[in-house]
Amino acid sequence: MDSPLFDMKRVVITGLGLVTALGNDVPTCWANLIAGKSGAGAITHFDSSKFKTQFACEVKDLDVSNLFDPKELRRYDRYIHLAVKSTEEAINNAGLHIQQEDPLRCGVIYGSGMGGVKTLDTNIGEFGAGDGTPRYSPFFIPMIITNMAAGMLAIRYGFKGVNYATTSACSSSSHAIANACYQIRMGLADVVLTGGSEAAIECCGIGGFNALHALSTRNDSPQTACRPFSASRDGFVLGEGAGTLVLEEYEHAKARGAHIYAELVGIGLTADAYHLTASDPEGIGAKNAMQLAINEAGILPSQVDYINAHGTSTPIGDIAEVKAIQDLFGEDAYNISITSSKSMTGHLLGGTGAVEAIISILSMQHGMVTPTINHEEGDKDPNIDYKLDFTFNHAKARTIQYAMSNNFGFGGHNACLLFKNPNIQ
């Protein structure tokens, strides 16, 4: 009997779910992305008046009361609420019914960079304000750990196959998607729910990133604060939300008549091995990740039409990514549409890879490139080549055969996912 390791399966995406500051479902998020709308505004989750940064990209009007009973609702952190909300949409979108599947061949691999930040903030704050007597919630530990979203989703949907979480800062959900793909490629699963969730807009999230000087402090103009690839960029805008994808083996998806959004054809995972928080200024790790994804897909660099860049709006990171793109693609870089959706959604940390993978897939499906907003004509960094197409301020129509999604995390974790449009041969 041949080992499944030598019978690599094709992996397709058959379901999508989104919750971001731009909307609580895929259609709403997509409409606001194409419109170039910013999700940034004053923080409402806590009193941020004494913080250097007083704004973020919060999810608005989140209602999950129909997804949990009242007791359950109190037992799960906000990052799990977001994960379940996006996954419910993805499952319905895929038309997937566990009763018709072998549960042992259905798994969950889900990412989060920080886990239950709200629970952590609340319980430690109450302890610090008290008399020193520990009165932590009995659900404190299961509410804060980063694997609980993966576990909760498996319990909720009855998926009894592979189940674990990935945590690699801003690359967490890209790593989750990559690992989900590997499970299916090797014949170990038919279906894997994957993606990521983050809800870190709390005191310790904002305070911690302020201490790192990582966040924009443009409090007078939150909606224009995130300005990737512009000279006046001063840091990222923290976002929250979740993205869930249903990954499925190609023949399995065809057999049940599922709609195929995209095929995941290339993965590149590397390390900068350079610094705890700063990108390698030469972009070597990022370049290597993109090259690996292209090699695995078996295509030429000139065939990549679109890159959803990591593009966080930080002084060092944006330059390093642009350098990596130009070093790898050479003259072909000028033919690629490059965009940073973080200019609208904010930076979702461990959830960002999944959200941006979905945006990349939607761009292929709709033949539209979302904009990088907040760029002004004279706001040019001498270290960035503006002959590149950063899709500034306005969405544009474009046929996309191959779309690339980049994510780079603290610790030097680089992840690149390469998707193929199934409607184009």
Side-chain angles (χ1 to χ4, degrees), residues 360-408:
S360 301
I361 292 165
L362 291 172
S363 295
M364 287 197 302
Q365 285 277 306
H366 293 281
M368 290 291 293
V369 179
T370 59
T372 303
I373 65 170
N374 297 327
H375 180 72
E376 297 175 1
E377 183 59 33
D379 193 10
K380 294 185 176 179
D381 185 328
N383 298 298
I384 292 177
D385 184 353
Y386 290 95
K387 293 177 183 176
L388 294 168
D389 177 13
F390 291 108
T391 326
F392 283 132
N393 299 324
H394 302 286
K396 71 174 187 179
R398 174 161 187 174
T399 299
I400 301 170
Q401 183 170 5
Y402 290 96
M404 180 177 279
S405 180
N406 287 339
N407 285 110
F408 315 128

Side-chain angles (χ1 to χ4, degrees), residues 218-242:
R218 207 180 296 273
N219 293 311
D220 58 338
S221 184
Q223 293 192 328
T224 67
C226 189
R227 44 185 71 187
F229 312 117
S230 294
S232 60
R233 65 192 184 279
D234 69 331
F236 68 82
V237 176
L238 190 59
E240 63 176 356

Side-chain angles (χ1 to χ4, degrees), residues 153-353:
L153 294 175
I155 293 166
R156 183 178 183 87
Y157 298 106
F159 283 25
K160 296 184 178 181
V162 61
N163 184 262
Y164 62 90
T166 53
T167 298
S168 48
C170 311
S171 298
S172 296
S173 51
S174 292
H175 278 124
I177 295 167
N179 279 272
C181 180
Y182 295 150
Q183 288 286 321
I184 297 171
R185 279 184 180 175
M186 292 189 295
L188 302 175
D190 296 325
V191 178
V192 183
L193 293 177
T194 187
S197 175
E198 205 80 90
I201 304 174
E202 302 295 337
C203 291
C204 63
I206 295 293
F209 283 114
N210 268 160
L212 277 173
H213 303 286
L215 296 181
S216 171
T217 56
R218 207 180 296 273
N219 293 311
D220 58 338
S221 184
Q223 293 192 328
T224 67
C226 189
R227 44 185 71 187
F229 312 117
S230 294
S232 60
R233 65 192 184 279
D234 69 331
F236 68 82
V237 176
L238 190 59
E240 63 176 356
T244 301
L245 302 87
V246 177
L247 266 59
E248 196 165 344
E249 194 273 322
Y250 174 69
E251 295 296 341
H252 183 275
K254 274 207 323 181
R256 69 180 190 87
H259 173 72
I260 294 174
Y261 286 94
E263 182 174 359
L264 180 48
V265 293
I267 295 169
L269 308 176
T270 66
D272 279 356
Y274 174 75
H275 189 272
L276 280 177
T277 58
S279 303
D280 179 340
E282 297 301 311
I284 295 169
K287 175 186 174 182
N288 290 340
M290 290 187 284
Q291 181 71 72
L292 286 171
I294 289 169
N295 291 349
E296 189 173 85
I299 65 170
L300 298 172
S302 59
Q303 291 177 264
V304 175
D305 303 301
Y306 166 75
I307 298 175
N308 189 301
H310 189 56
T312 57
S313 188
T314 55
I316 296 173
D318 286 10
I319 293 173
E321 186 171 12
V322 170
K323 182 172 179 54
I325 290 170
Q326 289 191 285
D327 284 354
L328 175 59
F329 290 96
E331 289 300 311
D332 291 323
Y334 298 103
N335 300 320
I336 299 172
S337 294
I338 303 166
T339 186
S340 171
S341 45
K342 290 184 182 71
S343 61
M344 297 175 280
T345 65
H347 190 353
L348 281 71
L349 308 177
T352 202

